[in-house]
Amino acid sequence: MMNIDTFAGLLLSWWSENKRQLPWKNSHDPYIIWISEIILQQTRVKQGTPYFLKFVHTFPDIQTLADASEDDVMKAWEGLGYYSRARNLQQTAKVLASNHGGKFPDTYEEIIQLKGIGPYTAAAIASFAFGLSYPVVDGNVVRVVSRVNGILEPVDNKATLQSIYGYVNKAIQGHDPASFNQALMDFGSAVCVPASPACILCPMTDYCMANKDQKTQLIPFKAKKVSRKNRYYHYFYLDRPDRQMIITQRTGSDIWKKLYELPMVETEDESVPVRGLITQKLGFWFSHLKDDDYIMEEVCRSRQVLTHRNVYGFFYRIVMINPAIKINKGQYLVEREKVSNFAFPKIISDYLKSIDS
DNA sequence: AAAGCGGGGCT
DNA sequence: AGCCCAGCTTT
């Protein structure tokens, strides 16, 4: 193991001349820090920053977020992904507003009990907002510590992660927690990057086991491999002369929960669903519908790659011959011009954009 | 412990 | 095509 004091000293010395300026760093408001940390979970700073600016402008404090409509919160999150973050964010805002007098808790033990806040985020808020000494262990930190210490064991293993946490927890002692944590993440994202790290510029190069053994490409090692399953979604755009369209909300414990989409049928493979199935589906909106009461044409196909899914989208345009319609719970008849008030998965918003032009 | 959960950027 | 990103929750 690299000497703890040497590690901390070189890190902080590097950071004193290489601090990143980020919008949420101007604030000690735990609400602002909370929002920034949730947005940045599994999300690059560059991708998350515009969302952060928009989100704290729209929802400037706990009470505003607690009082907002769920649709508006999801809309602010549209396109960012991992939408449970947005749902948990508002749920926690409601809890804080009603049970904690609108105040953010100021101890690690209370913070980590909040929905959507795990070990990393609790440590980040505790240190950045309240100056408490808890080490942040994110992807950057795991990479830096596993490399300098030449850890070849899988880092997605509980015991390995514990040893990394223990190392950082010792290293942070005696230093300003916020500065130390920020320094470690900045260092990981600027120097000790995943591919082709800048070892030539690294102040720890003389002490780094991975560099000495030429193993920066192998460390950190992850045992788990992602496998993607295919899903086939057939979306129906009901083209109506009054420029209104039907959208539905996803409610199950599945991808894109709480987002909106078009009426849809899922199939097991890429074959087009049989007419009878489509008619049955459209029967949600049109009573006594028969197979020849509508015209259908396939308009386009697209694919969206998620971490663990390939989503194949098939889009069909439907023209009703008898347009009497009924709308049920969780379904909406929306004017085309107002559809942008709702949050959609990217595969749907891309399609809606394409038929606008 | 393993699986599920988005979207984008880089190699 | 594969990997990673200021991870967390559910099973």
Side-chain angles (χ1 to χ4, degrees):
Chain A
M1 292 286 213
M2 180 173 169
N3 177 276
I4 301 258
D5 292 328
T6 308
F7 176 77
L10 290 173
L11 174 69
L12 288 168
S13 152
W14 172 88
W15 191 64
S16 67
E17 301 187 353
N18 294 278
K19 298 178 187 180
R20 269 194 294 188
Q21 267 307 321
L22 299 167
W24 45 91
K25 288 294 157 192
N26 302 324
S27 173
H28 283 90
D29 179 353
Y31 175 77
I32 298 297
I33 293 165
W34 174 41
I35 301 300
S36 73
E37 293 301 340
I38 300 297
I39 286 177
L40 292 171
Q41 287 171 1
Q42 293 289 281
T43 304
R44 288 174 192 281
V45 166
K46 188 172 181 184
Q47 185 188 4
T49 298
Y51 282 87
F52 167 81
L53 295 171
K54 183 179 65 176
F55 199 94
V56 297
H57 183 258
T58 311
F59 312 109
D61 50 48
I62 291 173
Q63 194 65 50
T64 309
L65 181 57
D67 293 341
S69 81
E70 185 178 52
D71 279 350
D72 287 346
V73 176
M74 298 310 288
K75 183 66 190 178
W77 213 265
E78 183 183 36
L80 192 55
Y82 286 146
Y83 297 92
S84 65
R85 293 182 292 174
R87 300 192 302 268
N88 291 336
L89 210 46
Q90 194 184 22
Q91 184 186 329
T92 295
K94 287 179 187 291
V95 169
L96 295 179
S98 55
N99 298 355
H100 289 69
K103 285 272 291 179
F104 209 94
D106 59 3
T107 68
Y108 180 88
E109 289 72 21
E110 289 174 286
I111 294 170
I112 200 171
Q113 285 182 30
L114 301 173
K115 196 90 162 177
I117 297 182
Y120 163 77
T121 307
I125 297 172
S127 62
F128 296 142
F130 303 114
L132 302 173
S133 185
Y134 291 89
V136 294
V137 181
D138 72 334
N140 290 305
V141 177
V142 167
R143 191 171 56 251
V144 170
V145 174
S146 62
R147 277 179 178 163
V148 297
N149 289 326
I151 296 173
L152 291 165
E153 290 77 25
V155 295
D156 49 355
N157 166 290
K158 197 173 176 183
T160 310
L161 207 56
Q162 266 304 314
S163 80
I164 292 173
Y165 182 92
Y167 185 84
V168 186
N169 195 31
K170 275 187 234 164
I172 197 174
Q173 301 305 322
H175 302 285
D176 173 54
S179 299
F180 180 89
N181 281 338
Q182 193 57 48
L184 197 40
M185 289 193 287
D186 285 358
F187 179 72
S189 81
V191 177
C192 198
V193 295
S196 311
C199 301
I200 195 79
L201 301 172
C202 177
M204 305 189 195
T205 183
D206 291 345
Y207 306 89
C208 177
M209 298 283 290
N211 180 62
K212 181 168 78 70
D213 299 339
Q214 300 285 300
K215 286 183 174 167
T216 55
Q217 307 303 317
L218 303 175
I219 302 174
F221 172 71
K222 292 184 182 173
K224 293 176 190 162
K225 306 296 173 196
V226 292
S227 72
R228 275 194 194 101
K229 287 179 187 167
N230 294 332
R231 298 188 71 168
Y232 305 92
Y233 290 174
H234 302 263
Y235 291 112
F236 306 109
Y237 175 66
L238 278 74
D239 205 352
R240 297 168 53 85
D242 61 4
R243 302 259 315 151
Q244 298 197 101
M245 58 180 293
I246 295 171
I247 61 175
T248 65
Q249 190 173 31
R250 294 180 65 87
T251 54
S253 58
D254 197 355
I255 57 174
W256 301 326
K257 184 179 178 181
K258 295 290 186 178
L259 269 59
Y260 292 83
E261 63 183 359
L262 302 174
M264 182 268 282
V265 165
E266 180 172 10
T267 53
E268 290 298 312
D269 56 34
E270 56 204 306
S271 59
V272 174
V274 295
R275 186 87 171 187
L277 187 59
I278 297 171
T279 305
Q280 187 185 6
K281 181 72 186 181
L282 297 177
F284 280 119
W285 297 278
F286 305 95
S287 308
H288 314 298
L289 190 70
K290 298 199 174 48
D291 285 351
D292 51 3
D293 285 342
Y294 60 96
I295 302 165
M296 182 180 95
E297 61 166 341
E298 185 177 329
V299 177
C300 64
R301 299 182 177 189
S302 62
R303 184 179 77 140
Q304 181 169 4
V305 180
L306 310 184
T307 301
H308 48 289
R309 296 281 183 268
N310 281 316
V311 180
Y312 293 89
F314 301 72
F315 292 89
Y316 308 86
R317 176 172 164 268
I318 298 222
V319 179
M320 282 292 160
I321 294 168
N322 171 12
I325 193 166
K326 54 174 181 172
I327 296 297
N328 311 301
K329 183 170 163 52
Q331 309 166 348
Y332 304 88
L333 190 60
V334 181
E335 291 170 36
R336 284 284 292 113
E337 288 70 24
K338 293 190 178 169
V339 80
S340 63
N341 292 326
F342 299 85
F344 296 93
K346 180 172 163 51
I347 198 169
I348 302 291
S349 52
D350 281 353
Y351 171 75
L352 293 175
K353 250 176 261 170
S354 78
I355 62 171
D356 258 345
S357 49

